Amino acid sequence: MGQLATTRLSVLDLAAIRHGGSIADSFADSVATARHAEALGFTRYWLAEHHSIDGIASAATSVLIGHIAGATQRIRVGSGGIMLPNHPPLVVAEQFGTLETLYPGRIDLGLGRAPGSDGATMAALRRHPNAGVDDFPERLEELRGYLDDAKPGQRVRAIPGQGTQVPLWLLGSSGYSAQLAAKLGLPFAFAAQFAPGYLHEALRLYRDNFRPSALLDAPYAMVGLPVIAADSDAYAHYLATTAEQKFLNLIRGRSTRAQPPQEQLDWSPMEQAQVGQFLGAAVIGGPETVRQQLSEFVARTGADELIMTTDVYAQEDRLRSLSLTAEAWQR
C-alpha cells in the first residue's frame, strides 16, 4: 500500500464516441472528466492522436488539449501522444509553444512514432510510408531545437515555441522508444493499455540504459493500463464489456463506437483470446480488488506513475470509477 500511495495517477482520454451519442457529447464528457480528475488530485490528463477511427474524437489533439486546459485550473494537460512523423516538427513546436504560453507550467508533449491510422489515412495525411522508421531521432532533435533557447544564427524559429521548454516524453509499445528515451534522458510512457506483452522488457531496457540528463537524474517510467472500478467486482466486469466490445469490433473491422455493456458477448474462443491479449494489463473490480491489483501492478513494474484509460459506456460510471480508484490509491 505504501508504494501505491507514492505512485502518481493520471488519466488518458481518447474522447470516445458513444453509440447513439455525438462528438459534442464526447467533448463535454472529456471536460467533465478532466475537472473531476483534477478535483481528485490526479497528476495529468492526456489525449491521444488517432485519425479516421469511428469511435475516437481526439484527432485534433492540440486543439482539444487547449480546450481541456482552459476548462481546468491545475492539472497538467498533454498528449499521449502526438505522432511526430505525421507533422512537421516546426508546426508541433508552434502548437505546443502556444499552449505552454497560454497555460504555463501545465502542458506535456508526449510523442510517438505510429501513424494512429491505417494506410489510406496515412496517405491522406501525406505521411510517407517509411516516416519515423529511421528518421524519428532526427525529427525529435529538430523539435527539441524549436522548443529550446534559440541558438546563435538559428534561421528558423518557432514563434511561439522557442524557449518554452515544453516537457517531452517518449511513448511506445516496444523497445525502440524505451531505448531512445534512455539514451536522451527523457521520461518514458509504455502503452500497456492495448499492448501489455512487451511491458517488462521495455521497462528493463529503459532503466538499464538510462543516461542522466539536464531534464532527469534518474529514469521516470509511466505505464498506461485500463482501470475500471465499480461498487462490486461483478458490476465492474459488466461495465468492462464495453471495452471488450470495442476491441472485438476492432478485430472484426467494425465501428469502435462505445457500446452499452452486455451480460454476455457473442464471440469465438479465438476472438476472446485476442481481446484478452489487448486487455492483459486491465485492473477491473470493486474497491478492494482494484486496490490490491494496482498495488501488485506497481510492485511488479516499479512504475513511477500510472495513466489510466476507463472505457465504460455511461459518463456517471466513468466518474464513479475514477473516484473509487482515487480512494483506493489514497488509502
Side-chain angles (χ1 to χ4, degrees), residues 123-143:
L125 288 166
R126 303 298 189 268
R127 171 174 167 151
H128 190 276
N130 293 325
V133 175
D134 297 317
D135 63 351
F136 186 80
E138 289 75 19
R139 290 172 181 261
L140 176 60
E141 190 60 28
E142 182 182 351
L143 174 61

Side-chain angles (χ1 to χ4, degrees), residues 143-303:
L143 174 61
R144 296 178 78 180
Y146 293 135
L147 295 173
D148 290 343
D149 294 334
K151 295 180 174 60
Q154 181 174 331
R155 183 172 180 179
V156 178
R157 294 186 295 159
I159 303 172
Q162 209 73 53
T164 53
Q165 312 289 344
V166 178
L168 298 181
W169 292 67
L170 291 191
L171 318 180
S173 57
S174 68
Y176 179 93
S177 292
Q179 293 181 86
L180 184 58
K183 178 181 177 181
L184 299 176
L186 294 174
F188 173 62
F190 187 87
Q193 73 272 11
F194 67 85
Y198 203 73
L199 169 61
H200 295 283
E201 178 63 12
L203 293 179
R204 184 193 66 77
L205 287 170
Y206 174 59
R207 291 170 177 143
D208 287 353
N209 295 286
F210 184 83
R211 301 177 186 175
S213 68
L215 300 172
L216 277 181
D217 293 330
Y220 190 94
M222 178 163 64
V223 179
L225 76 166
V227 177
I228 298 175
D231 291 311
S232 69
D233 287 0
Y235 192 61
H237 282 280
Y238 171 69
L239 295 179
T241 60
T242 292
E244 291 171 339
Q245 290 176 83
K246 182 169 292 186
F247 283 115
L248 179 60
N249 284 329
L250 180 66
I251 293 166
R252 292 174 173 176
R254 299 177 181 174
S255 168
T256 57
R257 292 200 175 206
Q259 300 290 330
Q262 303 291 328
E263 292 292 346
Q264 188 172 352
L265 299 185
D266 181 17
W267 52 7
S268 70
M270 180 176 292
E271 288 174 329
Q272 186 173 2
Q274 288 177 292
V275 171
Q277 288 179 335
F278 282 117
L279 295 171
V283 169
I284 302 168
E288 181 57 27
T289 298
V290 166
R291 185 206 64 76
Q292 181 179 348
Q293 290 185 4
L294 284 178
S295 184
E296 291 172 352
F297 186 87
V298 170
R300 289 195 307 271
T301 63

Side-chain angles (χ1 to χ4, degrees), residues 12-19 21-31 45-68 81-82 116 246 255-258 311 318:
L12 176 64
D13 183 12
L14 302 183
I17 307 169
R18 281 193 300 273
H19 178 72
S22 69
I23 292 174
D25 293 336
S26 301
F27 293 157
D29 287 349
S30 290
V31 168
Y45 194 93
W46 279 8
L47 298 126
E49 177 186 351
H50 293 273
H51 298 282
S52 192
I53 296 178
D54 185 36
I56 298 177
S58 52
T61 316
S62 59
V63 177
L64 198 51
I65 288 170
H67 183 59
I68 297 296
I82 290 290
K246 182 169 292 186
S255 168
T256 57
R257 292 200 175 206
D311 191 4
R318 187 184 194 192

